[in-house]
């Protein structure tokens, strides 16, 4: 049997076996205040793509730990998004509000350029498309740019669309139909991704319940969609009578406490790192709650910025993000066949693609 990428998964042998990052680069320019770390986890499928996080880490050690984790996660996300891109990420140590400047971003751009295309950068927490335009004055290997510079604009458009595709796949698996008509969906966090997801859901005929710590975010949804129910907070949402729980705020939404009261049959949302600790995926499976792995269903954003590398085409990018439906269904079926939770099945499928497609680079092409 083959999967959506045409890879065999019955007897596909060991994982890619990669325990260490290929390359980790410390970048410093004292005059501009640049202190950055670029981590390339894997280029098995192509240049590593991942955003630049600009964050006031407490120590270089904390920044290093974060960039090592984030770059590895990007390799898995990009592999399952069907991209010919590996996984990488960068962190700039500092307070973006205080430390960001043209010289700092351009110094950073020169380090990105110095890697010769092994790393493509983009936006992440603390960096914006406008910053990428400045980085791009020193490097060709930059995506996530402003529309004025041929960029794709706000990546939450396809992130929300992809989460919706993943949720349709989960509905297909649980209810036998991809439609969410008549299902009650609880969306935690109605920021850039969450509010767009609410629109997809209403269009499909779902009943929507939301919560957000920002009154402004709630008001925006209420003004546009008076029929949407609002509950006080995330705890109330998880206890509500909902069919689908969609975490679209911060990470760690699913821990031992919240899991106990959860009434939904499906968990599918845009937030990164939804499982608070290893083992939560098993508890979800034991309780008969279907978890659509976060990095699979929220890959629409990276699909959007990856498309920019070719010259952005929204129709092409949307078509690629539509495949999140098939990939999510495939993960559920591997989980069943191999007797593991969907989160583990997703990791296995990603590792197989990195290994089986990545090894083809060993075929000599001649000079
Ligand atoms: N934007 C993208 O393209 C993208 C891509 C992949 C993953 N993600 C992930 O999706 C999530 C949402 O991203 P976003 O771009 O919409 O961010 P955002 O900041 O626009 O929205 C997050 C919303 O969550 C709310 N929130 C924060 N804490 C909350 C809580 N405890 N309970 C309820 N609401 C709370 C915030 O007030 C905000 O409205 C993040 O985890 C992000 O990492 C985003």
């Amino acid at each position: 049997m083959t999967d959506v990428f045409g890879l065999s998964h019955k007897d596909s042998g060991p994982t890619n076996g990669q325990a260490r990052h290929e390359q980790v680069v410390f970048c410093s320019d004292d005059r501009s205040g640049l202190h950055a770390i670029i981590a390339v986890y894997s280029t098995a499928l192509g240049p590593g793509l991942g955003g630049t996080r600009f964050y006031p880490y407490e120590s270089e050690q904390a920044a290093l730990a974060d960039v090592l984790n984030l770059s590895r996660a990007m390799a898995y996300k990009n592999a399952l998004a069907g991209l010919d891109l590996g996984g990488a990420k960068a962190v700039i140590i500092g307070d973006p509000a205080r430390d960001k400047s043209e010289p700092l971003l351009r110094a950073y751009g020169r380090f990105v350029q110095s890697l010769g295309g092994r790393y493509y950068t983009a936006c992440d927490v603390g960096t914006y498309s406008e910053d990428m335009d400045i980085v791009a004055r020193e490097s060709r290997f930059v995506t996530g740019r402003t529309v004025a510079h041929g960029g794709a604009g706000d990546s939450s458009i396809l992130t929300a669309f992809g989460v919706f595709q993943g949720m349709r796949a989960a509905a297909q698996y649980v209810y036998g139909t991809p439609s969410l008509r008549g299902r009650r969906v609880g969306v935690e966090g109605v920021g850039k991704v969450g509010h767009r997801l609410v629109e997809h859901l209403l269009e499909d005929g779902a009943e929507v319940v939301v919560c957000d710590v920002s009154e402004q975010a709630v008001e925006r949804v209420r003004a546009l969609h008076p029929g949407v129910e609002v509950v006080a907070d995330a705890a109330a949402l998880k206890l509500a009578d909902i069919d689908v729980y969609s975490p679209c705020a911060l990470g760690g939404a699913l821990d031992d406490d919240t899991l106990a009261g959860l009434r939904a049959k499906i968990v599918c949302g845009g937030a990164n790192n939804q499982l608070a600790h290893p083992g939560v995926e098993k508890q979800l499976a034991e309780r008969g709650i279907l978890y659509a792995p976060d990095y699979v269903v929220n890959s629409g954003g990276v699909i959007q910025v990856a498309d920019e590398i070719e010259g952005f085409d929204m129709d092409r990018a949307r078509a690629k993000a539509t495949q999140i439906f098939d990939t999510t269904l495939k993960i559920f079926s591997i989980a069943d066949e191999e007797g593991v939770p969907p989160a583990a099945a997703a990791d296995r499928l990603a590792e197989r693609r990195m290994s089986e497609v990545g090894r083809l680079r060993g075929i000599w092409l001649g000079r």
Side-chain angles (χ1 to χ4, degrees):
M1 187 171 182
T2 58
D3 61 35
V4 286
F5 303 114
L7 304 179
S8 61
H9 58 82
K10 263 259 137 59
D11 53 357
S12 58
T15 67
N16 73 341
Q18 183 161 345
R20 292 212 223 190
H21 289 65
E22 276 179 26
Q23 189 176 19
V24 180
V25 181
F26 288 74
C27 320
S28 291
D29 177 59
D30 287 339
R31 283 280 294 275
S32 66
L34 175 75
H35 296 287
I37 311 173
I38 300 171
V40 179
Y41 177 72
S42 165
T43 56
L45 294 174
L49 168 65
T52 302
R53 184 163 292 191
F54 202 139
Y55 190 77
Y57 292 98
E58 278 179 7
S59 63
E60 190 177 74
Q61 204 53 41
L64 178 62
D66 204 27
V67 78
L68 292 178
N69 280 334
L70 292 166
S71 55
R72 183 173 185 275
M74 285 309 300
Y76 282 69
K77 182 182 290 204
N78 293 345
L80 284 194
L83 300 172
D84 288 339
L85 291 165
K89 197 93 177 183
V91 294
I92 297 177
I93 303 170
D95 178 352
R98 193 192 58 206
D99 302 325
K100 202 187 280 176
S101 67
E102 181 191 344
L104 181 147
L105 290 171
R106 293 184 73 149
Y108 172 62
R110 292 185 74 82
F111 282 105
V112 172
Q113 180 65 18
S114 76
L115 295 177
R118 286 176 51 72
Y119 171 53
Y120 268 87
T121 196
C123 310
D124 193 64
V125 175
T127 55
Y128 300 89
S129 296
E130 290 74 14
D131 301 325
M132 290 306 123
D133 286 345
I134 298 174
V135 175
R137 289 165 74 175
E138 302 292 345
S139 175
R140 285 185 289 126
F141 307 113
V142 183
T143 181
R145 309 231 5 226
T146 60
V147 174
H149 282 92
D154 184 352
S155 65
S156 63
I157 298 169
L158 285 193
T159 302
F161 176 74
V163 173
F164 180 58
Q165 297 308 317
M167 205 181 285
R168 292 176 69 247
Q172 170 72 51
Y173 183 89
V174 172
Y175 304 116
T177 164
S179 172
L180 291 149
R181 174 163 295 280
R183 306 286 172 211
R184 266 169 80 76
V185 182
V187 180
E188 177 183 325
V190 279
K192 293 189 288 298
V193 174
H195 96 268
R196 291 183 195 282
L197 176 64
V198 168
E199 278 160 20
H200 288 299
L201 290 167
L202 292 173
E203 223 169 84
D204 200 29
E207 291 171 32
V208 179
V209 189
V210 304
C211 73
D212 197 298
V213 289
S214 156
E215 193 50 41
Q216 208 184 355
V218 169
E219 276 318 311
R220 175 173 56 175
V221 172
R222 230 201 287 254
L224 287 170
H225 312 290
V228 167
E229 190 184 327
V230 179
V231 294
D233 54 26
L237 187 76
K238 285 175 222 183
L239 290 172
D241 182 14
I242 49 175
D243 302 301
V244 183
Y245 166 54
S246 184
C248 292
L250 306 178
L254 292 156
D255 59 20
D256 300 336
D257 292 340
T258 59
L259 207 62
L262 191 64
R263 293 170 70 182
K265 279 264 157 275
I266 292 170
V267 175
C268 177
N272 279 312
N273 304 322
Q274 290 167 27
L275 308 179
H277 59 79
V280 174
E281 72 286 0
K282 283 202 193 101
Q283 294 179 49
L284 282 162
E286 279 160 17
R287 290 209 37 216
I289 299 170
L290 184 69
Y291 171 64
D294 46 13
Y295 73 81
V296 179
V297 302
N298 74 14
S299 63
V302 78
I303 288 171
Q304 187 170 323
V305 298
D307 193 83
E308 243 182 87
I309 295 172
E310 283 184 63
F312 187 60
D313 180 318
M314 186 47 126
D315 290 340
R316 181 178 61 204
R318 190 183 294 274
K320 193 150 200 115
T322 305
Q323 291 171 9
I324 291 172
F325 178 89
D326 291 337
T327 305
T328 308
L329 266 187
K330 177 54 62 182
I331 285 163
F332 295 148
S333 99
I334 294 175
D336 282 345
E337 282 173 31
E338 301 187 7
V340 293
D347 288 354
R348 288 184 183 184
L349 187 60
E351 284 163 2
R352 284 169 196 160
R353 182 160 184 259
M354 283 188 258
S355 171
E356 292 184 25
V357 177
R359 82 168 180 82
L360 299 177
R361 297 187 173 226
I363 299 174
W364 175 242
L365 295 177
R367 287 184 194 278

